[in-house]
Amino acid sequence: MFHLSREHLARAARRVGMPMLATIAALLVGAIGVAALGESPWAAARTVVDAGFSCTTEYCNLGSTLSLAAPIIFCALGAVVVLRAGLFSIGQEGQYALGGLAAAVVGAWVNAPGGIHPILALIASATAGALWGLIPAVLRIFLGVNELIVTIVLNTMAGLLLNFLVNYPLRAEASSVGYTPSIAESARLPVWDTSTKFGLGFVLAIIACGAVWFHLNRTPAGYEQRMSGEAPLFAHYVGMSSKKAVLRAGLIGGALAGLGGGVQVLGVNYRVIEGFSDGTGFTGLTAAILGGVSAIGAGIVGTLYAGITVGAVNGLQIQLSVPREIGSTVLALMIVFVAAQHPLLTRIERWRDRRRANQLIDEGRAEALVAGVSPRSEPPDGSSSGVGTPDRAPSDNGKPRATRTEAQP
């Protein structure tokens, strides 16, 4: 029992340690890039942390980080929901864009009391994102269309549709860049720090993290979604509806990404500008992957991602004149290394399992020799004893089978 517990602990340590090693490796590559530009990697790291997570009486950098993190976390949660259901949808960017546009329309053209107006705008953003997220799920379930290709096309369509609406039907006034009218004061989310726009949006993102975690881990519908993605054969044989789970995931995931756009418009931008689709959805997908496709991990990584982004701009670029692309490179390398660690970890564990199995076989031979039984001896009736034979062993159907495997990864 102790041996099994030690083996389980070692396996858990490897699963925790590999992502840490991947992160450290990415940071080392970033440090080499900073050193190549003639700056100290330690000074660059301190600058990024200070510019992204510090807070003084003059200006709170942490407020900027948390304000930027809110839409990223919503998009990351949308990615977590669809990925856990086995739907490889990368359509968070389009859902984010249309969700923000829906919030801007309701915020600017709908008259409602102050307490209800932002709720209506958020409902509109969630609805737009959910409907856009349902399209790849429907095509996957009923027509067998690859959702990856569909969501790439839908992202492009959403960006083009947004730019058309912002420049023509919804354009506020003639200018070099198209933008919608500013939303009404009654539709804006509460902001506690006007200089950084830190406010209720981040709190809503944290609440969403808890809600998604509860849905996936403590409800029958969430369990059905997880099993449909992680063990589809098991879900099929126990009577779970994989089609329903995928459709539900498309709706919920799209609604969450749409809320990310709504929070950005109602709490920060107050309007939609041409080019509003700026990659936030893809950033959320990245945070979901780095967070282990879990709700809590997505919230943590989304916040760290925002902090590194703010630190790279306000710290590396402004204070040290180091290109901010260094920070983006480090984040991209983290994704690559984390993606590579799963097959590597699987190979290592299989290699260790083979070694352990061979060790148990060798221990069985030693016990036979101690008991005074020759490994190649046979009982008087001519039947094989099957004890300690080095190259063959009995099987249930009477055919010989190998007793030792090569311990190769």
Side-chain angles (χ1 to χ4, degrees):
M1 188 69 178
F2 173 77
H3 184 73
L4 291 177
S5 298
R6 185 175 59 183
E7 180 68 21
H8 291 164
L9 289 175
R11 183 166 297 186
R14 290 195 297 272
R15 292 201 174 273
V16 173
M18 292 295 285
M20 294 180 62
L21 290 176
T23 302
I24 293 173
L27 292 175
L28 288 176
V29 174
I32 293 173
V34 172
L37 296 174
E39 297 290 342
S40 169
W42 293 110
R46 288 195 301 268
T47 302
V48 170
V49 173
D50 181 69
F53 298 97
S54 66
C55 193
T56 63
T57 55
E58 292 82 11
Y59 186 80
C60 185
N61 295 310
L62 181 60
S64 297
T65 294
L66 299 182
S67 177
L68 178 62
I72 295 176
I73 292 174
F74 273 110
C75 292
L77 292 175
V80 166
V81 171
V82 295
L83 292 176
R84 293 295 291 272
L87 184 68
F88 194 75
S89 169
I90 60 171
Q92 291 76 31
E93 183 68 18
Q95 297 151 17
Y96 165 85
L98 295 184
L101 184 63
V105 170
V106 174
W109 279 284
V110 175
N111 294 322
I116 300 177
H117 205 172
I119 297 176
L120 294 177
L122 289 176
I123 292 175
S125 64
T127 302
L131 293 177
W132 205 251
L134 185 63
I135 296 175
V138 170
L139 295 178
R140 152 82 179 274
I141 291 299
F142 296 105
L143 297 179
V145 182
N146 189 304
E147 66 272 18
L148 179 62
I149 298 175
V150 171
T151 49
I152 292 175
V153 175
L154 288 176
N155 285 336
T156 303
M157 291 176 59
L160 294 174
L161 178 61
L162 182 142
N163 289 338
F164 166 74
L165 294 175
V166 166
N167 279 286
Y168 295 100
L170 305 180
R171 192 183 184 103
E173 57 188 25
S175 64
S176 58
V177 179
Y179 54 85
T180 64
S182 179
I183 63 174
E185 291 285 344
S186 58
R188 300 183 180 184
L189 293 176
V191 173
W192 303 315
D193 184 3
T194 56
S195 61
T196 63
K197 298 296 181 66
F198 169 64
L200 185 62
F202 182 75
V203 176
L204 294 177
I206 297 302
I207 294 173
C209 287
V212 171
W213 177 88
F214 184 83
H215 167 69
L216 291 176
N217 296 279
R218 292 294 184 269
T219 64
Y223 180 75
E224 185 178 66
Q225 282 183 224
R226 289 191 293 112
M227 290 301 101
S228 297
E230 299 169 8
L233 291 178
F234 168 79
H236 173 73
Y237 283 113
V238 299
M240 294 182 181
S241 177
S242 297
K243 293 183 178 180
K244 185 188 300 182
V246 171
L247 293 174
R248 186 191 305 116
L251 281 171
I252 297 176
L256 287 167
L259 282 173
V263 165
Q264 181 69 16
V265 169
L266 301 178
V268 179
N269 295 357
Y270 302 140
R271 68 176 75 217
V272 171
I273 305 175
E274 181 183 356
F276 177 76
S277 179
D278 57 356
T280 301
F282 293 116
T283 302
L285 176 64
T286 301
I289 295 173
L290 288 178
V293 198
S294 65
I296 305 302
I300 295 173
V301 175
T303 304
L304 293 176
Y305 202 113
I308 294 175
T309 302
V310 173
V313 175
N314 296 342
L316 292 181
Q317 184 164 297
I318 296 178
Q319 299 182 25
L320 299 181
S321 298
V322 174
R324 63 180 179 179
E325 286 75 14
I326 291 291
S328 301
T329 301
V330 170
L331 293 171
L333 287 174
M334 287 182 184
I335 300 173
V336 173
F337 291 150
V338 169
Q341 57 108 14
H342 177 71
L344 179 61
L345 185 60
T346 301
R347 292 174 67 89
I348 291 175
E349 291 184 349
R350 287 178 179 174
W351 176 71
R352 288 178 60 89
D353 289 341
R354 291 192 183 106
R355 288 195 59 183
R356 183 169 176 271
N358 292 334
Q359 182 181 3
L360 292 176
I361 293 173
D362 292 338
E363 290 175 355
R365 291 176 179 173
E367 291 175 358
L369 292 174
V370 171
V373 180
S374 173
R376 293 186 180 272
S377 63
E378 295 183 357
D381 58 0
S383 61
S384 174
S385 63
V387 179
T389 54
D391 54 354
R392 59 189 295 165
S395 62
D396 294 337
N397 56 8
K399 296 181 180 181
R401 57 181 171 83
T403 61
R404 185 177 177 86
T405 58
E406 293 296 329
Q408 297 178 356

